[in-house]
Each structure stands twice: as structure tokens, then as C-alpha cells.
Amino acid sequence: MEIAPGIRRLGTGLVNVYLLEEAGAVTIVDAGAPGQWRNLPDELAAMGRSLGDVRALVLTHAHVDHVGFAERIRRECAVPVRVHADDAALARGEAKAVRDPAGPGYRGWSVRAIAGFGVFALSHGMMKVTPIAEVGTFLDGATLDLPGAPRVLHVPGHTAGSVALHVPARDAIFVGDAFVTRNVITGRRGPHLATMFNADNREAIASLTRLDGLVARHVLPGHGEAWTGGLDTALRLVRESIPAELRGAASQS
């Protein structure tokens, strides 16, 4: 579906893949689940493009529900895959994802939400995600020479190499899982931290300051609907969502 001029999304909002178009070429942001590959040609066609117009796949981070079809598009279509240097080993399958042992856990989990995500995972091949054989890397502050010219903001905490991608020309920011608008475990909607999946919750909270002062009407998370109320409002709501035991970190961010 079209999210904004020049931006389309694969999926229903549970696990998001974005297509960013500029001057007839496309950057894919995140690769979702392996099974979302089957929806990619039709979504490209809806914007008048094809797989041959894709210049790169950029990952906001290297969790399995973002790596998805990355190796397939790299291998079959020679599309380069890029990720922050701190997540390169995770993307290649050389490191394991970690979860903050001091986090608040799966508080407020919903049977309905978990079942829905489980059905999605099984039907979209998430039980077996292929690591990416070769990845290019970038660092904080880089403006990528790709369609949309996304600027990288390193926001570690969800993973060591989590990033947001700011695209001023589209009045948009792709935030990955720095925060979400839909929690696949609890079913919660609206901008908030998915604390149960962060590698380091305190670092994730501190990283929110990297986004302060940026202007973007369209806030595009890895999970959930696009937020069109502005990044500043989204960040306020995210901070309000922080569990009491982590509020100390929030007051320092």
C-alpha cells in the first residue's frame, strides 16, 4: 500500500518492508520475513517499477524479522545489502541476537497477538531465515548514495547496530524497531518501546535523543502502522510508555 508519495509498504503492518522510490529507482528498507518476497513484484509494479529498478536493500537492524528475503534478493538479483557495521556479524549469521536480561519481560502479553504473530511467522517462513552471505556496511551520520538519499542515525539498544533512516525529501523517517506502533506480543498500538525485544533497554532509551529535533511527518516503524502525527509527538508518547523501572534512563535521555 502507498504510505506517502514515493513510499509503499509490503504487509499489513505486522512486519513491515518499505519501498522508497526516487527518479525511477528504488531503495528497499528492511526485508521482513522470507515469504514477503512473493508480494514484492506486485508492490513494485504498483509504483511502476520492477526488481531491476532496485538499487539496494538497507536494513535498520539484523533481527530475523528484518533480514527475511535479503539473501535471496542479493543472490538472485545482485542487489547489494547494507547494514550498520555493528550488526554485520548478526546479519551474516555469525552472532546471535540477545535480549536484555534486566528487561521487564513479556508483561501484558496477549494470546491473540502472539497467535497472530505465530501464524504470520509460520506462513511466511520465519522459522528458517537464511543469513546474508555478503553485506556492505555504513556508520552513523552517513548519507547513503541511494534513491531517497537516506541519512543514517545510529540508535543502538534494540541491537548494537540499530539505525533510523531520515529522508527529508519525503518528510519521512524509518525508525526500524527503535520504537514501534504495534507490539506483536501484547497487541499494544501507538508509539512505544518494545522493551521485551531490546538488547539493552537503557541504551535504547538513551538513543531516543538522537532523534530529538528531527522533522518528519511520516514515522515508519518496523512493526505497526505509519504514524503521521510528527516525530516529536511520537517521541513524547514513546517516553511516556517507558516502564517505571526504566524511567531513570528516560530522565537522562
Side-chain angles (χ1 to χ4, degrees), residues 106-168:
Y106 297 110
R107 179 185 302 161
W109 58 273
S110 158
V111 172
R112 182 176 180 180
I114 293 172
F117 187 63
V119 169
F120 175 89
L122 288 170
S123 63
H124 287 77
M126 277 179 54
M127 299 302 102
K128 185 174 175 56
V129 175
T130 304
I132 308 166
E134 297 178 17
V135 292
T137 59
F138 48 72
L139 295 173
D140 181 46
T143 297
L144 304 181
D145 186 17
L146 296 172
R151 185 169 75 90
V152 175
L153 294 117
H154 188 203
V155 287
H158 186 65
T159 65
S162 285
V163 301
L165 301 169
H166 189 211
V167 184

Side-chain angles (χ1 to χ4, degrees), residues 199-215:
D200 186 325
N201 277 303
R202 294 184 181 279
E203 187 173 45
I205 293 167
S207 287
L208 296 174
T209 60
R210 300 298 318 281
L211 306 179
D212 286 333
L214 296 178
V215 177

Side-chain angles (χ1 to χ4, degrees), residues 21-199:
E21 187 270 344
E22 181 185 43
V26 176
T27 300
I28 299 177
V29 178
D30 288 327
Q36 288 179 285
W37 170 263
R38 59 181 174 261
N39 305 117
L40 180 57
D42 286 345
E43 204 63 48
L44 285 165
M47 64 192 330
R49 303 291 166 243
S50 69
L51 282 166
D53 297 314
V54 178
R55 297 293 175 263
L57 166 62
V58 180
L59 302 178
T60 60
H61 63 288
H63 278 166
V64 294
D65 56 341
H66 292 252
V67 167
F69 58 75
E71 173 58 12
R72 182 168 184 175
I73 199 170
R74 186 201 69 82
R75 185 180 66 250
E76 295 185 10
C77 304
V79 170
V81 180
R82 302 186 65 182
V83 67
H84 189 279
D86 289 349
D87 264 17
L90 187 60
R92 293 190 298 260
E94 299 165 359
K96 299 286 188 183
V98 298
R99 187 170 68 85
D100 191 339
Y106 297 110
R107 179 185 302 161
W109 58 273
S110 158
V111 172
R112 182 176 180 180
I114 293 172
F117 187 63
V119 169
F120 175 89
L122 288 170
S123 63
H124 287 77
M126 277 179 54
M127 299 302 102
K128 185 174 175 56
V129 175
T130 304
I132 308 166
E134 297 178 17
V135 292
T137 59
F138 48 72
L139 295 173
D140 181 46
T143 297
L144 304 181
D145 186 17
L146 296 172
R151 185 169 75 90
V152 175
L153 294 117
H154 188 203
V155 287
H158 186 65
T159 65
S162 285
V163 301
L165 301 169
H166 189 211
V167 184
R170 298 295 188 194
D171 201 11
I173 187 166
F174 302 89
V175 297
D177 289 3
F179 59 87
V180 300
T181 61
R182 180 176 181 177
N183 191 306
V184 300
I185 296 297
T186 68
R188 180 175 180 169
R189 306 293 181 111
H192 65 281
L193 288 179
T195 52
M196 66 282 293
F197 296 115
N198 289 336

